[in-house]
Amino acid sequence: MTTAHISQPLDLVISPCLPEELPAVCILLATSFADIFGSMVQLNEQQLAALLIQTWSPSALAADRLQVAARLNGQIVGVIGLQWSAGHSSTHSALPHWGSLIRLYGFWNMCRFAIGMSALEHNPRLHEGYIEHLATATEYRGRGIARSLLQWAQRYAAEQKWNQLTLHVSYNNVHASQLYKKMGFHHHSSHSSWIQQLFLQQPGWHYMTWIPESLSSTNR
């Protein structure tokens, strides 16, 4: 007789990221989304993480964004990024000079990176919370980290009195789509564009929404 291995629940600490933790978040994002970033630029994961630190980190903790990390024994093993409409109060830090980035990473890499990142952007409507990304360290996937981060985001959305929490998921990412459905997200629409196909190598995206229970019950 064999005994099935049952993974023990992880003792996670989930809370908003501190500024000094953003480099570790960039490394996790570079690793988790290597396929998408690899379609944009010809850089290794170390170079990509450095590029994200220089271009993404300055606005990662802006007035309309929140990075939330799952930590295990002090190590970041998961992260979820939230974005919302902050109106005119949103302030993003200035990016490094374009010329310095080209000298470091190459002209065509920076052109493709700028176009690709622009294609990933979403402008949330008023009272909409948007999940920009959800990433889990490779060695801890399947241990409930993504689920725990989504639960944190759903509680936060309810506290902020957002009408809905939304996200995009690739047509190719069936596993993630199944998780979102289990967490109460519903398919709203699907779309694709030649820019995303060319620069991200993604056939298209499903747009999914979750409505807080307090609102969904009033709409019944």
Side-chain angles (χ1 to χ4, degrees):
M1 179 181 293
T2 58
T3 304
H5 174 71
I6 300 176
S7 298
Q8 295 297 319
L10 298 176
D11 186 15
L12 298 173
V13 175
I14 299 178
S15 63
C17 289
L18 300 173
E20 57 267 27
E21 293 179 310
L22 289 179
V25 171
C26 289
I27 293 172
L28 179 56
L29 293 177
T31 302
S32 298
F33 300 108
D35 57 336
I36 293 178
F37 287 126
S39 300
M40 297 185 205
V41 295
Q42 298 299 315
L43 300 173
N44 60 41
E45 287 185 4
Q46 184 177 4
Q47 291 173 315
L48 178 57
L51 176 58
L52 290 176
I53 290 171
Q54 292 174 284
T55 59
W56 175 79
S57 288
S59 62
L61 300 179
D64 59 351
R65 283 178 168 85
L66 182 66
Q67 308 302 320
V68 180
R71 304 169 188 81
L72 180 64
N73 299 324
Q75 175 189 355
I76 292 180
V77 294
V79 65
I80 191 169
L82 301 176
Q83 182 186 5
W84 58 90
S85 174
H88 297 293
S89 63
S90 176
T91 55
H92 291 193
S93 303
L95 294 177
H97 189 272
W98 186 255
S100 64
L101 294 174
I102 290 176
R103 285 192 293 273
L104 283 171
Y105 305 107
F107 176 78
W108 289 114
N109 271 335
M110 289 310 305
C111 286
R112 292 178 64 88
F113 182 77
I115 295 172
M117 294 298 283
S118 177
L120 289 171
E121 287 184 357
H122 175 75
N123 295 317
R125 297 181 296 274
L126 192 63
H127 304 306
E128 173 192 0
Y130 179 69
I131 297 176
E132 288 188 298
H133 51 255
L134 175 60
T136 302
T138 304
E139 61 270 30
Y140 290 103
R141 288 178 183 170
R143 302 290 301 277
I145 295 175
R147 180 184 294 271
S148 296
L149 285 167
L150 285 169
Q151 290 173 336
W152 194 101
Q154 289 172 328
R155 288 193 297 269
Y156 185 80
E159 291 170 2
Q160 298 301 309
K161 301 188 185 305
W162 290 339
N163 293 337
Q164 58 183 339
L165 188 61
T166 65
L167 57 85
H168 282 97
V169 60
S170 171
Y171 289 176
N172 292 334
N173 201 340
V174 177
H175 179 74
S177 295
Q178 292 173 342
L179 172 62
Y180 298 141
K181 290 177 181 178
K182 289 179 181 178
M183 295 298 295
F185 285 81
H186 299 280
H187 177 267
H188 179 276
S189 59
S190 300
H191 65 89
S192 62
S193 72
W194 68 268
I195 292 179
Q196 292 173 338
Q197 293 175 10
L198 178 62
F199 289 94
L200 305 177
Q201 299 297 303
Q202 297 295 315
W205 306 85
H206 297 303
Y207 182 59
M208 304 184 73
T209 64
W210 174 84
I211 299 176
E213 185 176 351
S214 59
L215 292 177
S216 61
S217 60
T218 59
N219 293 331
R220 291 172 185 169

